[in-house]
Amino acid sequence: MDPRDLPSHLRPVPDSGDSTAPALDPASSGVPGLTPPMMRGRSSGFVTDVLVDLGYVPEDRARQAIEEARTAGRPPERLLLDQGAIDADQLSRAVAERYGLDHIDLANYQVDMAAANLISVNTARRYRALPVGFVDKETLLVAMADPTNVLAVDDIQIATALDCSVAVAAEEDIDALIGRLNTLQSAVTEAVSEGEAEEDELAEVSDIEVSAEDAPVIKLVYSILGQAVGEGASDVHFEPAEGEMRVRFRVDGVLREAAHVPKRMVHAVVSRVKIMSDLNIAEKRVPQDGRVGITVEDRRVDLRITTLPTQRGEGATIRILDKDNAQRSLDELGMDGTARDRFSDAFHQAYGAVLVTGPTGSGKSTTLYASLQEINDVERNIITIEDPVEYQLNGINQINVNRKAGLDFATGLRSILRADPDVVMVGEIRDGETARIAIEAALTGHLMLTTLHTNDAPGAITRLTKMGIEAFLTASAVDCVVAQRLARKLCTHCKQRTIVPPQALEDADIRVGGELEAYEPTGCSRCNQSGYKGRVGLYSVMKMSDRIKEMTVAQSPEAEIAGVAREEGMLTLREDGLAKVRGGLTSLEEVIRVTA
């Protein structure tokens, strides 16, 4: 391809000091985070060629991706990214080299907010492009994930009345920057300045895009929800306080303050949340539960809404259910090694009970969903009963508990067993009646998956006994018990290697026979300065061996059962956590926090 055939913003930068060069020359300016191309553009060839030239992937691996791309209908570089052969930063650097453009690392580049605010957040999201600085008075520096998007460049030039010089940045960096620009407190300020909320009622919330015509409170609520989904929050808390309402997000299991809503808007915000989920806005004396589906940036998410009449006024909590989280494999959840083999063997059996234990919010349901998806095929009839059904899974019959109609776990489970199931999942065993039906089902040729609230795996045996289940039935029915917790994952971009001295380990009651090589959180723009991004599971899997079954029948103390299980290879939650600390997945302080 002749370089002259490329759009002007993609033509290779001349090697000379030509005044027509569209990009900054960071070599002379020394701008942190901005890197000029090393090869000054490749007007022919492919991104995969550049990936090989830069040493990011071997040549044979690139050829394999090209072959796979012919049938997959996707660019080979995207396949390499999805398969983990390269990361987003390497891909963006290769794209920059391909077109002879600067590469910009938004984690280190000082963004000019005056430039960033020249276009709307929605425009930036649509094009994955954002002005980050000024080359001169007439030219913007625009960070883009796809520099071949000529329409995006044209639209930004028209919207800003300025020329555009393009630099390539990683998609995740651009998304993170756009998320930071869409701050909630600015949305609150805007809503307050526009006046009191209008009383328009929406019959259905189909899209979360905010338009200029929307009422201020509607825009505020949608901004909060959009920000929460964008940050990966699992819950949003609207909490009335003295003179205002506090908004908090739970991200990776940890709550943080997100915004404050002025007192005069509190009632309107709660009413808007109720209207969304079709709740009674006039009823403020009793809690209400509702559910609604919304679309956020082309992602469909469900919201489970609970209102609470507190002493200081009515508040609300919104659980965000993103279906993508339910479709994660055990590998993605962090279960590996012997623990993975033991658990997999258990749920691939034709019958028996598999118990997953842990506190609320420890990821028990997600683990069970991952196991169900592994065995979900046309030859099996899988039925679940949950309170409530959090994620809808294709090919699986799911029942929602409805106590008002007389449908609880025990009643529903009896009916399920008359519907010819092969696999049954019970969301939670809460009482002796449900426990007995579940154990009997496991003994009569069904695979039973369920959860219990206990601190560790051996504790599940004791809990069933206290629920009135005879020890010999427990020993015969239960095949495997899994205890789990969720620990925050270290941000891969800013984690730093450290050595934990023996004394610090001893003070934390951890014995590893010397110092521990680990990583610690630092904080960067990609992880919102927290040092963590995402979560990983810590697992302790106890297989019901013949010896443990004998101890169960003899009603041996829980500590003795735990000792034998460890002799047979069971790792405790903390031991599994330490393995993930050594692997750089999480930090020591995080493992101590969740396993204390």
Side-chain angles (χ1 to χ4, degrees), residues 274-289:
K274 286 183 171 182
I275 289 169
M276 286 173 54
S277 51
D278 198 25
L279 299 179
N280 184 357
I281 62 174
E283 179 57 76
K284 303 176 182 179
R285 299 165 299 175
V286 297
Q288 298 184 67
D289 294 315

Side-chain angles (χ1 to χ4, degrees), residues 261 355 361 490 596:
V261 178
L355 310 179
L490 286 166

Side-chain angles (χ1 to χ4, degrees), residues 201-210 214 218 222 225 272 275-277 292-303:
E201 294 195 10
L202 299 180
E204 181 182 357
V205 180
S206 60
D207 204 313
I208 204 167
E209 294 253 345
V210 181
D214 288 330
I218 298 176
Y222 290 179
L225 294 177
R272 172 52 49 186
I275 289 169
M276 286 173 54
S277 51
V292 64
I294 62 174
T295 301
V296 184
E297 299 173 26
D298 298 326
R299 288 167 56 194
R300 186 71 177 176
V301 298
D302 287 339
L303 306 180

Side-chain angles (χ1 to χ4, degrees), residues 301-312:
V301 298
D302 287 339
L303 306 180
R304 202 173 74 205
I305 298 170
T306 299
T307 64
L308 294 171
T310 69
Q311 188 176 11
R312 293 178 176 176

Side-chain angles (χ1 to χ4, degrees), residues 237-508:
H237 296 258
F238 295 88
E239 302 167 327
E242 293 294 337
E244 62 182 6
M245 171 178 279
R246 180 174 64 173
V247 180
R248 293 195 292 173
F249 293 167
R250 186 177 295 278
V251 180
D252 295 334
V254 178
L255 278 171
R256 70 166 185 82
E257 199 168 90
H260 289 267
V261 178
K263 183 177 181 179
R264 66 191 183 95
M265 299 182 69
V266 170
H267 172 70
V269 166
V270 176
S271 295
R272 172 52 49 186
V273 171
K274 286 183 171 182
I275 289 169
M276 286 173 54
S277 51
D278 198 25
L279 299 179
N280 184 357
I281 62 174
E283 179 57 76
K284 303 176 182 179
R285 299 165 299 175
V286 297
Q288 298 184 67
D289 294 315
R291 189 162 184 161
V292 64
I294 62 174
T295 301
V296 184
E297 299 173 26
D298 298 326
R299 288 167 56 194
R300 186 71 177 176
V301 298
D302 287 339
L303 306 180
R304 202 173 74 205
I305 298 170
T306 299
T307 64
L308 294 171
T310 69
Q311 188 176 11
R312 293 178 176 176
E314 193 174 24
T317 299
I318 299 178
R319 168 66 57 88
I320 299 173
L321 304 173
D322 188 345
K323 191 173 182 179
D324 291 341
N325 292 332
Q327 297 177 335
R328 301 174 68 186
S329 67
L330 292 174
D331 291 331
E332 293 173 319
L333 295 175
M335 185 181 288
D336 53 18
T338 305
R340 165 66 184 273
D341 294 339
R342 290 181 170 191
F343 182 52
S344 183
D345 289 344
F347 67 74
H348 278 91
Q349 298 289 331
Y351 59 90
V354 178
L355 310 179
V356 180
T357 72
T360 300
S362 60
K364 300 186 297 297
S365 296
T366 304
T367 299
L368 289 180
Y369 283 147
S371 62
L372 286 178
Q373 289 181 93
E374 280 201 23
I375 61 176
N376 183 18
D377 58 45
V378 71
E379 296 177 356
R380 287 187 176 92
N381 181 20
I382 302 176
I383 306 178
T384 76
I385 180 166
E386 306 166 60
D387 183 22
V389 173
E390 294 191 351
Y391 301 103
Q392 296 180 4
L393 305 177
N394 293 330
I396 295 177
N397 303 299
Q398 297 173 271
I399 301 173
N400 205 81
V401 165
N402 186 347
R403 290 184 175 81
K404 292 181 179 179
L407 178 60
D408 56 17
F409 279 118
T411 304
L413 188 51
R414 287 194 192 95
S415 299
I416 288 173
L417 296 178
R418 294 193 293 268
D420 186 32
D422 296 296
V423 182
V424 179
M425 187 190 105
V426 178
E428 182 184 347
I429 290 181
R430 298 177 179 174
D431 54 71
E433 185 180 9
T434 305
R436 178 169 294 279
I437 300 170
I439 292 296
E440 290 176 353
L443 290 171
T444 55
H446 302 89
L447 177 62
M448 176 64 60
L449 307 178
T450 187
T451 70
L452 274 175
H453 283 286
T454 63
N455 291 327
D456 56 16
I461 306 300
T462 306
R463 177 61 57 86
L464 289 174
T465 301
K466 290 182 178 179
M467 285 184 171
I469 305 301
E470 290 83 351
F472 73 91
L473 291 178
T474 299
S476 301
V478 178
D479 190 60
C480 179
V481 184
V482 180
Q484 73 174 79
R485 300 289 188 276
L486 290 177
R488 289 181 293 172
K489 291 177 66 176
L490 286 166
C491 174
T492 56
H493 297 284
C494 66
K495 66 181 181 181
Q496 290 186 346
R497 183 177 176 274
T498 185
I499 299 295
V500 184
Q503 186 58 48
L505 293 170
E506 186 177 337
D507 293 343

